[in-house]
Amino acid sequence: MVEPADPLTPGGFDAAESRLFTGPFIALAVADLAYFTSQGMLILVTPLFARGPLGADPVGVGIAVGAFSVTSLVLRPWSGRESDRRGRRPLLFVGAILAAAVILAHTMVTDLLVLIVLRLVLGVAEALFFVAGFAMLADLAPRGREGEALSFNSLALYLGIAFGPLLGELLLDMGGFPVAWIGAAALSLAAALLALRLPVTGRVPDADGGPMILIHRGVVWQSAGLFTGVVAMAGFLAFVAIYGRDELAMPNTGPVLLLFGLIVVGCRIVFAKLPDRVAPFRLASAALALIAVGMATTGLVPNVPGLFAGAAVMAVGVAFVTPAFFAAIARGLEPSERGAAFGTVSIFLDLAFGGGPVLLGLIVGAANIPSAFLIAALIPAAGALVTAFAALRARAHS
């Protein structure tokens, strides 16, 4: 591995000399938007399909919805290594075309077990597309603009997840489940076709003879730091609607989530260059601290203004935590390592998104939602302290 750039400094180079918004960068963003809009549609359509036409009980619905995460989590390390061996573009294409085929096959499903099997296969597609896309983004980002690249690219994921369910609902109203499945499959197919227009990156000619590295140990602690922020966010988002309606008597918690989303997207657009202009680990530590403060605020101020204030502060932290860690990780990697590295990162993201709601649920069961928010705030707070300490230690050795 080459000597990594000092993650504590913005660089020592003129980032303006390299263009970010190239044809491949834009094509990757549009492919991501198509793919994640398709997946956003499934967030709404799948549980309704399992509950309605298939007659599944709540347990069956939960198993069907969550089945894809099993194969996705297991295969992410392998996907990362394969993207280093074969390049990113083949995995992006195969992942998207597999998703299109599997979603189209939903039109013939009449049994819950078949739906669960298809969701497991969909997890394979997710592992291929997500990890290869993350690695290609690092390949395409100009040196010193990695954080800015993620800030803009991540908008595709957020917009896809935000508008996918709305599109799914619209297609359901127009023609029922068959039309919704066909629409989602068409978007995944579009992502596959766009992937064919991307350059071949990450292919290492002699990688087939090297050792199979599934977990990149060099990025484990950074991934753990990112985990502490995402697990708190996932837990908060899972219980904010219940908290607002049941304990604060809010008729609708949509404005809270809208505020949260607008702040995240707004900060990533307006301050897209920030992760590359300040020391990434310092920004990551500050972002984790803001997430902790936001969660603690919702727990300490159990009323509607407290919920809005806490969500706003947390959103600012969420806006910067992933770009900061992404910039720090990407600068210390050779191209031949990026697939394995971001495969490892994505494992921690999966665990955070899945574990956050479970952890908060356990705490809520033993106490109440405000107490759970307050206790869970300790997780990103610990992450902020460890990241700050690691940054100081790295600075002392630089």
Side-chain angles (χ1 to χ4, degrees):
M1 188 177 83
V2 296
E3 187 68 22
D6 181 3
L8 297 173
T9 61
F13 48 81
D14 185 3
E17 293 179 354
S18 301
R19 284 198 310 130
L20 174 62
F21 292 100
T22 61
F25 180 86
I26 294 172
L28 177 61
V30 177
D32 284 344
L33 178 60
Y35 181 83
F36 289 115
T37 301
S38 172
Q39 299 305 303
M41 291 176 64
L42 299 187
I43 292 175
L44 174 91
V45 178
T46 301
L48 294 178
F49 182 67
R51 182 63 175 160
L54 301 187
D57 59 19
V59 174
V61 172
I63 293 174
V65 171
F68 91 99
S69 63
V70 176
T71 44
S72 178
L73 177 62
V74 170
L75 291 178
R76 282 188 192 273
W78 173 84
S79 174
R81 181 53 179 165
E82 285 301 298
S83 78
D84 289 334
R85 290 173 179 263
R86 306 179 188 279
R88 326 299 185 200
R89 188 174 70 183
L91 271 70
L92 282 165
F93 174 76
V94 172
I97 202 71
L98 178 60
V102 171
I103 296 171
L104 190 61
H106 281 56
T107 58
M108 298 180 288
V109 172
T110 57
D111 182 79
L112 180 63
L113 181 59
V114 176
L115 176 63
I116 293 172
V117 171
L118 289 179
R119 294 286 293 175
L120 288 169
V121 179
L122 194 61
V124 178
E126 173 79 4
L128 293 172
F129 190 91
F130 187 89
V131 176
F134 229 158
M136 178 170 276
L137 178 62
D139 294 337
L140 298 178
R143 178 79 170 128
R145 300 181 71 178
E146 296 90 350
E148 181 184 3
L150 180 68
S151 293
F152 283 116
N153 180 271
S154 65
L155 297 178
L157 186 150
Y158 277 91
L159 292 174
I161 292 177
F163 289 100
L166 298 178
L167 178 59
E169 191 167 29
L170 176 64
L171 293 181
L172 277 177
D173 291 340
M174 290 176 56
F177 288 103
V179 172
W181 298 134
I182 292 171
L187 284 171
S188 289
L189 177 61
L193 296 176
L194 286 164
L196 291 176
R197 301 181 60 84
L198 293 169
V200 176
T201 68
R203 176 73 171 94
V204 182
D206 60 350
D208 291 330
M212 176 67 79
I213 302 173
L214 295 181
I215 302 296
H216 194 296
R217 287 183 288 183
V219 301
V220 167
W221 84 261
Q222 299 96 321
S223 301
L226 179 59
F227 169 88
T228 64
V230 176
V231 74
M233 178 197 71
F236 174 81
L237 294 178
F239 281 90
V240 64
I242 297 173
Y243 176 54
R245 293 185 179 185
D246 293 354
E247 300 195 21
L248 301 183
M250 295 177 65
N252 185 7
T253 56
V256 178
L257 297 175
L258 177 62
L259 175 68
F260 182 92
L262 289 176
I263 290 176
V264 172
V265 171
C267 285
R268 289 198 176 178
I269 294 174
V270 177
F271 301 103
K273 296 180 183 292
L274 188 62
D276 301 316
R277 291 183 172 176
V278 301
F281 285 153
R282 284 192 225 156
L283 179 60
S285 179
L288 289 171
L290 285 173
I291 294 173
V293 170
M295 285 209 75
T297 300
T298 60
L300 292 171
V301 187
N303 54 38
V304 173
L307 179 58
F308 273 96
V313 174
M314 181 184 295
V316 176
V318 169
F320 295 115
V321 68
T322 305
F325 275 113
F326 179 87
I329 291 170
R331 291 176 194 173
L333 298 171
E334 286 187 340
S336 61
E337 300 175 289
R338 287 172 181 161
F342 288 113
T344 300
V345 172
S346 66
I347 290 174
F348 281 83
L349 290 175
D350 271 346
L351 292 174
F353 280 113
V358 174
L359 177 62
L360 263 290
L362 292 174
I363 301 175
V364 170
N368 53 49
I369 295 180
S371 298
F373 286 159
L374 185 58
I375 294 171
L378 296 175
I379 300 173
L385 290 175
V386 172
T387 302
F389 176 77
L392 291 174
R393 186 177 179 183
R395 186 184 196 116
H397 288 84
S398 63

